[in-house]
Each structure stands twice: as C-alpha cells, then as structure tokens.
Amino acid sequence: MTDHSADHDVVVVGAGLAGLRAAAVLARRGLDVRVLDAADRPGGRVATDVVDGFRLDRGFQVLNTVYPALRAAVDLAQLRLRAFVPGAAIRGDDGQLHTFGNPLRRPTLAWPTVTDGLFGLLDKGRLVDDVIQETQVPNLSLILSGPTPPNPSELLGSDRRCKIN
Ligand SMILES: Cc1cc2nc3c(=O)[nH]c(=O)nc-3n(C[C@H](O)[C@H](O)[C@H](O)COP(=O)(O)OP(=O)(O)OC[C@H]3O[C@@H](n4cnc5c(N)ncnc54)[C@H](O)[C@@H]3O)c2cc1C
C-alpha cells in the first residue's frame, strides 16, 4: 500500500466526533487534512442503525449543551433539541407504548407507572428499589425528588457562574 500521508499537512487518525471536529477546524484554517479510519464509516461510537424502518441510535442521546466547545462547533438552534422526561417509553408485544418514570421527579407519571400492566408487581418493586438509594453511611438511604439538579460541569459552564466571577 502506498503511503500518501506526506502529501498532506495533517493526517487525523479516527473519524469519530473528535477527529472530525479537529479535521474541520484545521481545514478551515487552510491546512490540507486527510482523515483515516479503520472502520467502514465515519462517526466512531456515534452511529444509527435502521432496523425495520426504525432508526436506532447506538448511543449518544444526551447532549450537554453548556460546553463552550460544543457551542462553538454546532448551531444548537438548528438541532431543535428537546428535553427528556426522566423515564422510559417501551413498545410492548401488544403494540402499545408503555410509559414509566420516577413519580417523585415527574408526578404525572405516577398513575401510568402504577397501573400499567407490562411489568408484574415484582418488577415494579425492583423499580422502587432503584428509587431508594443506599448510601455508605449505615442506616441512611436517600429518595431524591424534584427536578434533576445540574451536574458539576453544567454549573461550571453556566452563565450563573460567569456572573459570580
Ligand atoms: C452506548 C453509548 C452511549 C453514549 N451516550 C452518550 C451521550 O448520551 N452523551 C454523550 O455526550 N456521550 C455519549 N457517549 C460517548 C460519546 O459517544 C463518545 O464520547 C464520543 O463519540 C467519542 O468520540 P471520539 O471521536 O473521541 O471517539 P470514537 O467515537 O471512539 O472514534 C474513534 C475513531 O477512531 C477510529 N480508530 C481507532 N483506532 C484507529 C486506528 N488505529 N486506525 C484508524 N482508525 C482508528 C475508530 O474506528 C473510531 O471511528 C456514548 C457512548 C456510547 C458507546
């Protein structure tokens, strides 16, 4: 195989999100860039399979919109992002969509979660077990409720932190 890497200013190995972004930035600055990937498609760990007409994402459902690098790279408004309700919607063998969620975070999900027949009582008990979080402190367990608080990276990148500085 002929090595053409000397023909380019930069050779980026890996056409995942990082490699593609690096290549795009470098190319925009006027460098001649070649991207190589061992796989037969770009995207790396981000991929979508089409099965029976359904688009199935292999991963990457949650986009943390506060990262400055993301905002510099992507026009977020164009993505028409929508917030996820914490929970799950599962298409059952009956063809119906069954919706479940933590009622402490989203009270309107309490009734559908309790009355839905897709899971038996035992499995619902396990769901409750997940809601009650054990701690490393003896005899102390936690039930969290209310909206999900921002994670530390969101706080660090938020406008509020900029105001504190
Ligand atoms: C199931 C799943 C769910 C996820 N969900 C989220 C989410 O909700 N939110 C989020 O922010 N992140 C999520 N992630 C993480 C996110 O997908 C990755 O952090 C991101 O895609 C990594 O991009 P990358 O370019 O660094 O690496 P990769 O995507 O791994 O790309 C590396 C590329 O390099 C190629 N390569 C490697 N070695 C060689 C070699 N020697 N020669 C040639 N090519 C090579 C590989 O084929 C690959 O294409 C998820 C990941 C998975 C797997």
Side-chain angles (χ1 to χ4, degrees), residues 12-20 36-47 57-64 67:
V12 174
V13 179
L17 293 185
L20 291 174
L36 305 177
D37 200 292
D40 58 0
R41 53 154 191 86
R45 274 173 274 177
V46 177
D57 293 338
R58 288 191 205 169
F60 216 115
Q61 296 84 12
V62 182
L63 187 67
N64 190 337
Y67 291 133

Side-chain angles (χ1 to χ4, degrees), residues 16-91:
L17 293 185
L20 291 174
R21 173 63 180 157
V25 169
L26 294 170
R28 207 165 295 140
R29 292 189 182 177
L31 294 169
D32 180 36
V33 185
R34 167 67 53 102
V35 181
L36 305 177
D37 200 292
D40 58 0
R41 53 154 191 86
R45 274 173 274 177
V46 177
T48 300
D49 299 313
V50 179
V51 180
D52 296 338
F54 291 98
R55 302 175 70 79
L56 308 178
D57 293 338
R58 288 191 205 169
F60 216 115
Q61 296 84 12
V62 182
L63 187 67
N64 190 337
T65 54
V66 298
Y67 291 133
L70 174 74
R71 287 168 176 264
V74 178
D75 182 354
L76 293 176
Q78 292 265 343
L79 294 179
R80 290 184 287 133
L81 298 169
R82 284 183 292 170
F84 270 105
V85 174
I90 301 170
R91 176 89 50 198

Side-chain angles (χ1 to χ4, degrees), residues 66 151-159 161-162 165:
V66 298
N151 67 36
S153 66
E154 286 172 325
L155 286 173
L156 286 173
S158 69
D159 295 339
R161 178 183 166 270
C162 295
N165 284 345

